[in-house]
Amino acid sequence: DLGTVTMTAGVTDDELACVEREFGFEFADDHRSFLSCGLPTGDSWPDWRGAPRRSLQQRLQLPVEGVLFAVEWRGFWGAGWGVRPARMKDALRTAKYQLARVPRLVPVHSNCYLPAGRGSHGNPVLSVYQADVTCCGTDLFTYIEREFGQAEPDPSQLPTSTVRFWSELIG
């Protein structure tokens, strides 16, 4: 029920530009449009207007930090990363290098993310926990409708676009 989500005034273009400059990414067009219409608030929503900057930075780093945790503690190794180095220090260095080159994920709600990128839209919303990734919406609109609206999940719907590296982890 959408009534359970508290919405505040939409984030202005200037506020979005400030966030993008400060954190070094650009919102996808559909994410930008969603936030411009209204800023959802509450524990699981990133407060792009008023949250402590450190908190937002941690949320932005969480997907990469989770994969690094999986590399160190669960034996995860990315498919396109080549041979895993024997020493953990070298494996983590290689993983950090590889992860610096994948699309940056921007938190939407809880552990659900959209890839960053001005000029992009229609990407799937991904739930990311360490190296475990699931698709929780074929796009932002579908995700919001399923999670907070009236739409029922349709397992036959597949994302029309994928997110390099992250989509490969969908299991």
Side-chain angles (χ1 to χ4, degrees):
D1 177 13
L2 280 170
T4 62
V5 177
T6 302
M7 300 292 284
T8 61
V11 183
T12 66
D13 286 341
D14 286 344
E15 288 173 315
L16 288 169
C18 182
V19 167
E20 291 171 333
R21 269 193 314 276
E22 185 170 349
F23 296 108
F25 74 90
E26 291 183 323
F27 288 98
D29 292 351
D30 45 0
H31 199 175
R32 171 181 291 281
S33 178
F34 172 71
L35 294 172
S36 295
C37 291
L39 179 64
T41 60
D43 289 342
S44 298
W45 295 96
D47 182 354
W48 297 108
R49 183 178 285 130
R53 292 342 225 177
R54 182 171 169 78
S55 168
L56 290 172
Q57 185 63 43
Q58 287 172 334
R59 286 189 76 163
L60 283 161
Q61 292 173 334
L62 204 53
V64 166
E65 292 298 323
V67 171
L68 292 173
F69 179 90
V71 166
E72 186 169 6
W73 297 102
R74 292 181 38 214
F76 173 78
W77 195 248
W81 294 357
V83 176
R84 183 185 176 116
R87 290 183 355 174
M88 184 57 68
K89 179 172 93 173
D90 297 331
L92 287 170
R93 184 180 319 118
T94 299
K96 285 177 187 174
Y97 174 84
Q98 294 293 338
L99 290 166
R101 283 145 186 76
V102 303
R104 181 114 184 244
L105 296 181
V106 179
V108 173
H109 175 255
S110 189
N111 63 323
C112 296
Y113 296 83
L114 268 176
R118 177 77 57 91
S120 67
H121 66 280
N123 283 303
V125 176
L126 302 175
S127 170
V128 180
Y129 178 75
Q130 296 177 16
D132 299 324
V133 177
T134 56
C135 180
C136 39
T138 54
D139 57 29
L140 181 58
F141 177 76
T142 303
Y143 168 73
I144 297 297
E145 275 297 307
R146 275 185 47 199
E147 292 296 314
F148 307 101
Q150 307 302 319
E152 289 296 317
D154 181 356
S156 70
Q157 275 195 316
L158 297 173
T160 55
S161 63
T162 59
V163 184
R164 189 172 48 83
F165 176 75
W166 300 105
S167 291
E168 296 164 16
L169 301 180
I170 294 175

